[in-house]
Amino acid sequence: MANNRENWGSKIGLILAMAGNAIGLGNFWRFPYQAAKNGGGAFLIPYFIALVMIGIPVMLVEWNLGRYGGKYGHGTLGPMVYLQAREGISPKNAAIIGALSGALAFAVTLLVNSYYNQIIGWTLGYSYLSVTGGYMDTAKSTGDIFVNYIQSPQIFIFWLLALLGLALAVTRGVQKGIESWAKLMMPVLYIFGIILAIRALTLGSPINPDWSSLKGLNYIWNPDFTKLNWKASLAAAGQIFFTLSIGMGIIANYASYLKPDDDVVVSSLATISLNEFAEIILGGTAVIPIAYAFLGPEGVNKGVGLSFIALPNVFRSMAGGQIFGALWFLLLFFAGFTSAIAMFNYLTALVEEDLKIKRSKAAWIIFFGYIIVGLPVGLEPILTKTADLVYLTEVDNWVGSYLLLVLGLIEVIVAGWLMRERALEELNRGAIWKVPTWFFNLFVKIIAPVAVATLLFFSTKTYIEDGYFDMIPSFVVDKPQLIPWVVGGRIVVIVVLIAGFIQSYISIKNN
Ligand code: PHE
Ligand code: NA
């Protein structure tokens, strides 16, 4: 049992770091447009159901998985899942399941961050534009300004700055790097979020008396059972995975820096609560009502462009817009940065533990790795003169939405069915509140795996129907210059998965 790994410095530091991990662009950029696109109030019903059926059980399982692996000196998914799986099956089969999990986590942490880091760069760039009034000129549409922005080489400056900040934080280690940044950025994020939410709620509509922000609140908070459908439910459950950072390996990685008897039950629930407060109360209350007041019901439906196109439109017509704009984009930046650190740290731990390279050096290896995988994301709009971002979308469809479900499914099955009672015993060690046996038997063993498996089944079905499994997806056939970017994205995902499998398998064998 190699155990000279670093530990978290304090309870509050740990919780803020975990909250920083979970609270990300998912809360403020992804949640509002997902909710808006899927009928507002109709989205929140499956959302809460998925939170209870999947979010809570998988979160508990991941904290437990991480603390267990950490005890053996491991912070990555391959060896972690192997260690738990071998309790119930032969070491040989456990190694295969472990390597598969390691491959999935490797693909997610490398490739989700490849585009996430770019978006963090945009948030930094847009913070700068807010302060300098870069999108205030009403002669140009905010859509054109955004397209110009992502097609200009200046995106690389802010992207590199963000990457540099991440590398510097990670080289300093768990306590001095991750924890101290979270202690600074998370409180500031909450303050900015609260200011924006209050501003949002006190906004009348200058454009149309029918569009006040309170109407916008009603739009999202009015549960409309008649609009419930499969697509909204899939999107809601996918959002639960993304927003809680589950199925990515990064919660388990952070939990690997716990001490063997540190509580995991209350801490998991605290992480979920902090994330949901930021998502529903701040994300939901600031963004949707502001957009509604200025843009009406059509405006909130803007999809991905909501943050970077619709909101700047709002900021330029509101008093103090440059300040509120800066608060908004800095909030996005802090949210993104503290999540990206977790992915960065996952890969750094992998290099550190498997290749025995010192953290200070390992972090720079990862820095260069992220530059390479991030380049196509940044280059696509510049080279193709389009703004479809098909490479980003392709990678996100696989690693940011689909593979998470597979990893989550493996994790709950290993905990519930291979470790069985031992998993519950482990989970409750050091716990202030203990997870009752009935909850474990019902939720971890049955409800969560069945729910995730169902989700995976229907996601696969929709992916097939939407053409994601076609060699050349139908959505690019009429834009031939984009085909290489989609196909390229796909090849990158496959290559990274294979490399991750081999790497994890070797790591498990050597352990
Ligand atoms: N939970 C994160 C979020 O809501 C997901 C994430 C983590 C994405 C790390 C990228 C990097 O944004
Ligand atoms: Na989140």
Side-chain angles (χ1 to χ4, degrees):
M1 253 192 228
N3 224 342
N4 41 16
R5 32 192 314 115
E6 218 191 321
N7 292 116
W8 297 103
S10 63
K11 187 101 194 165
I12 181 79
L14 157 72
I15 298 290
L16 288 176
M18 281 286 196
N21 179 335
I23 300 171
L25 299 178
N27 300 53
F28 301 103
W29 165 74
R30 199 175 190 275
F31 173 79
Y33 83 76
Q34 289 286 342
K37 203 171 71 182
N38 291 294
F43 180 79
L44 283 180
I45 304 160
Y47 179 89
F48 281 114
I49 296 175
L51 179 63
V52 175
M53 297 205 324
I54 299 172
I56 295 175
V58 180
M59 182 64 92
L60 287 167
V61 162
E62 283 210 12
W63 274 73
N64 193 26
L65 183 65
R67 188 182 59 175
Y68 193 72
K71 208 161 66 174
Y72 293 87
H74 288 289
T76 59
L77 267 269
M80 279 176 178
V81 170
Y82 165 74
L83 287 166
Q84 289 202 345
R86 72 170 181 190
E87 304 255 325
I89 49 176
S90 73
K92 216 170 144 214
N93 291 338
I96 293 174
I97 297 186
L100 187 59
S101 311
L104 292 165
F106 180 69
V108 171
T109 50
L110 185 64
L111 297 180
V112 168
N113 241 13
S114 73
Y115 62 82
Y116 204 83
N117 289 335
Q118 286 285 1
I119 305 178
I120 295 173
W122 302 349
T123 64
L124 205 55
Y126 261 72
S127 305
Y128 174 79
L129 288 185
S130 303
V131 175
T132 57
Y135 53 73
M136 299 303 278
D137 176 8
T138 47
K140 290 192 216 110
S141 86
T142 52
D144 290 344
I145 293 175
F146 179 67
V147 171
N148 273 335
Y149 178 78
I150 62 171
Q151 290 177 349
S152 74
Q154 57 168 317
I155 55 153
F156 290 115
I157 300 171
F158 292 104
W159 171 59
L160 284 173
L161 278 176
L163 270 177
L164 211 60
L166 290 170
L168 287 172
V170 171
T171 47
R172 309 205 59 207
V174 172
Q175 286 190 18
K176 288 207 199 99
I178 302 173
E179 193 172 334
S180 49
W181 275 113
K183 280 205 246 175
L184 177 74
M185 285 183 169
M186 295 314 288
V188 176
L189 179 151
Y190 274 104
I191 293 169
F192 285 9
I194 290 169
I195 297 175
L196 285 163
I198 293 175
R199 181 71 267 245
L201 290 184
T202 49
L203 219 53
S205 178
I207 316 222
N208 179 333
D210 280 347
W211 292 353
S212 76
S213 56
L214 290 177
K215 287 250 173 62
L217 258 196
N218 190 43
Y219 171 79
I220 167 148
W221 277 111
N222 197 7
D224 185 349
F225 289 89
T226 60
K227 285 207 196 118
L228 259 184
N229 63 46
W230 252 115
K231 255 202 144 139
S233 308
L234 281 185
Q239 174 64 15
I240 286 295
F241 264 89
F242 194 92
T243 191
L244 294 178
S245 298
I246 55 182
M248 303 182 170
I250 54 182
I251 295 288
N253 173 257
Y254 272 17
S256 75
Y257 303 104
L258 289 169
K259 297 190 194 82
D261 289 322
D262 279 347
D263 159 83
V264 298
V265 178
V266 175
S267 308
S268 306
L269 297 177
T271 308
I272 294 180
S273 312
L274 286 169
N275 183 68
E276 291 316 305
F277 179 78
E279 179 139 309
I280 294 166
I281 309 293
L282 302 181
T285 306
V287 181
I288 300 210
I290 293 190
Y292 199 95
F294 281 81
L295 310 162
E298 290 303 304
V300 293
N301 248 320
K302 280 279 179 322
V304 207
L306 187 61
S307 302
F308 292 94
I309 298 174
L311 289 183
N313 225 342
V314 173
F315 296 133
R316 66 185 186 189
S317 46
M318 113 188 200
Q322 277 180 252
I323 296 169
F324 287 109
L327 288 185
W328 165 247
F329 286 110
L330 280 174
L331 172 144
L332 284 183
F333 174 69
F334 291 154
F337 190 86
T338 50
S339 291
I341 287 189
M343 297 224 170
F344 203 118
N345 190 68
Y346 182 94
L347 295 174
T348 303
L350 187 123
V351 171
E352 204 184 4
E353 290 161 14
D354 291 347
L355 304 178
K356 311 274 178 269
I357 289 175
K358 277 221 311 269
R359 169 173 283 267
S360 49
K361 223 163 137 199
W364 292 107
I365 296 178
I366 301 309
F367 174 80
F368 286 110
Y370 276 136
I371 291 191
I372 293 169
V373 293
L375 271 178
V377 182
L379 284 175
E380 181 197 321
I382 299 176
L383 297 181
T384 63
K385 308 246 179 325
T386 56
D388 299 70
L389 297 165
V390 293
Y391 179 88
L392 186 161
T393 313
E394 179 68 17
V395 173
D396 178 54
N397 276 334
W398 293 107
V399 297
S401 313
Y402 191 85
L403 298 182
L404 312 181
L405 309 180
V406 184
L407 183 53
L409 183 61
I410 297 178
E411 289 170 347
V412 280
I413 291 177
V414 169
W417 293 94
L418 302 185
M419 267 195 110
R420 290 186 296 262
E421 285 68 34
R422 285 264 295 118
L424 179 61
E425 204 182 294
E426 267 295 316
L427 191 59
N428 280 335
R429 194 155 38 76
I432 312 168
W433 298 339
K434 305 224 183 284
V435 173
T437 312
W438 69 262
F439 180 90
F440 184 83
N441 286 340
L442 188 63
F443 279 83
V444 178
K445 281 191 169 169
I446 299 167
I447 294 183
V450 171
V452 181
T454 313
L455 195 60
L456 199 53
F457 176 80
F458 283 100
S459 297
T460 309
K461 195 165 159 278
T462 359
Y463 270 43
I464 293 173
E465 284 162 9
D466 292 350
Y468 290 118
F469 281 95
D470 299 352
M471 283 300 270
I472 309 262
S474 51
F475 45 86
V476 284
V477 274
D478 53 332
K479 285 194 180 171
Q481 82 269 38
L482 291 178
I483 294 176
W485 297 89
V486 177
V487 175
R490 210 163 278 191
I491 294 173
V492 168
V493 173
I494 294 170
V495 169
V496 168
L497 276 173
I498 295 172
F501 186 88
I502 298 172
Q503 193 282 328
S504 308
Y505 195 77
I506 296 175
S507 148
I508 292 166
K509 283 282 140 179
N510 291 342
N511 131 68

